[in-house]
């Protein structure tokens, strides 16, 4: 894992000139016209191969942002982000390349992120089909997070993976195991209901639990 020191943020942020903004707009327009090109995965490293690291050191970009040299939205401008992505319904391939008609939800999201942030990814990605024999998706996720810039897939956000050092984007959902139930409005909030512990299950479920206990 690459750790970056955070410098003091300069109060004198350099505002982009009008000409620079126009150039930026033109580059984004050109990027829009070329981002949907048909590309093949050029990273062919075997899964769990620890000899080749595709993850880039972005500490200099990190420092430029915190020193005020670049705005947050421009921090990845011109970078080839190296992505590990699953070949499936969320990322669709056709004839060994990204499907030019519809690349899947992940492909659409990555294209939009690339358009807004000014980076590219279609020429620097690798694919996988499954975690492999005797491996779990958590094994695959932790390996991908360590050896690629981004691991793009439908990853469940849970405490186990957070403890392993995996970072997730904001706005995801917590898939930890919890027990919830619909809470009815109390007619009199001043009274204590000693049977609240029965509310998570309906009566038939509780009878089934009791029957299972006595019959087992």
């Amino acid at each position: 894992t690459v750790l970056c020191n955070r410098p003091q943020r300069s109060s004198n942020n350099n505002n982009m000139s009008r000409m620079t903004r126009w150039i930026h707009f033109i580059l984004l327009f050109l990027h829009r016209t070329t981002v949907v090109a048909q590309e093949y995965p050029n990273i062919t490293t075997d899964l769990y191969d620890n000899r080749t690291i595709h993850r880039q050191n972005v500490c200099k970009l990190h420092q430029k942002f915190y020193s005020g040299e670049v705005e947050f939205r421009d921090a990845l401008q011109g970078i080839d982000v190296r992505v590990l992505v699953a070949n499936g319904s969320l990322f669709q391939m056709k004839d060994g390349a990204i499907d030019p008609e519809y690349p899947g939800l992940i492909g659409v999201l990555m294209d939009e992120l690339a358009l807004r942030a000014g980076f590219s990814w279609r020429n620097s990605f690798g694919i996988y089909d499954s975690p492999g024999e005797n491996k779990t998706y958590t094994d695959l996720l932790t390996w991908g997070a360590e050896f690629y810039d981004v691991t793009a897939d439908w990853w469940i956000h849970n405490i186990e993976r957070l403890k392993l050092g995996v970072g997730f984007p904001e706005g995801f959902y917590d898939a930890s195991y919890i027990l919830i139930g619909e809470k009815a409005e109390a007619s009199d909030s001043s009274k204590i209901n000693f049977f609240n512990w029965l509310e998570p299950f309906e009566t038939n479920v509780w009878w089934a639990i009791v029957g299972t206990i006595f019959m087992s």
Side-chain angles (χ1 to χ4, degrees):
T1 303
V2 178
L3 299 177
C4 303
N5 294 323
R6 178 182 296 186
Q8 294 294 324
R9 186 72 182 269
S10 174
S11 58
N12 297 323
N13 295 331
N14 297 324
N15 296 323
M16 296 176 64
S17 64
R18 180 174 300 179
M19 180 62 70
T20 304
R21 290 186 181 275
W22 272 109
I23 294 174
H24 186 211
F25 174 79
I26 294 172
L27 290 175
L28 287 181
F29 176 79
L30 294 175
H31 182 72
R32 166 73 78 175
T33 61
T34 59
V35 74
V36 294
Q38 190 175 21
E39 288 91 358
Y40 296 83
N42 69 335
I43 298 179
T44 58
T45 304
D46 294 334
L47 290 181
Y48 314 110
D49 181 358
N50 297 335
R51 296 170 298 179
T52 305
I53 300 176
H54 301 292
R55 185 174 180 177
Q56 303 175 84
N57 188 331
V58 294
C59 284
K60 291 184 178 179
L61 300 176
H62 182 272
Q63 293 169 357
K64 284 184 177 180
F65 164 65
Y66 277 103
S67 64
E69 294 182 45
V70 296
E71 297 183 22
F72 179 74
R73 64 181 181 181
D74 301 321
L76 295 178
Q77 194 72 235
I79 299 297
D80 288 327
V81 176
R82 298 166 185 174
V83 182
L84 179 65
V85 61
N87 180 19
S89 60
L90 296 179
F91 184 73
Q92 299 182 17
M93 306 283 289
K94 185 177 181 180
D95 298 327
I98 300 176
D99 191 330
E101 297 180 0
Y102 179 65
L105 179 60
I106 291 178
V108 171
L109 291 176
M110 288 301 300
D111 283 343
E112 186 63 27
L113 287 172
L115 175 67
R116 296 188 182 195
F119 66 82
S120 60
W121 68 276
R122 283 177 168 247
N123 294 315
S124 55
F125 73 96
I127 61 173
Y128 66 89
D129 295 307
S130 66
E133 188 176 358
N134 299 324
K135 293 290 186 179
T136 66
Y137 277 97
T138 298
D139 295 330
L140 177 59
L141 175 59
T142 52
W143 176 80
E146 186 68 24
F147 290 89
Y148 284 79
D149 294 327
V150 177
T151 304
D153 201 350
W154 186 78
W155 296 111
I156 293 178
H157 184 179
N158 57 32
I159 295 177
E160 176 190 3
R161 292 172 177 176
L162 290 173
K163 289 181 178 179
L164 292 173
V166 178
F168 293 88
E170 296 293 334
F172 216 67
Y173 67 93
D174 189 351
S176 301
Y177 294 106
I178 57 175
L179 184 63
I180 60 174
E182 184 177 356
K183 183 178 180 181
E185 293 293 333
S187 57
D188 189 352
S189 59
S190 63
K191 295 181 179 180
I192 299 176
N193 185 358
F194 293 99
F195 297 96
N196 280 338
W197 60 275
L198 293 173
E199 291 185 357
F201 298 136
E202 295 181 352
T203 304
N204 292 335
V205 177
W206 282 116
W207 281 118
I209 294 174
V210 173
T212 303
I213 293 174
F214 282 101
M215 293 177 63
S216 60

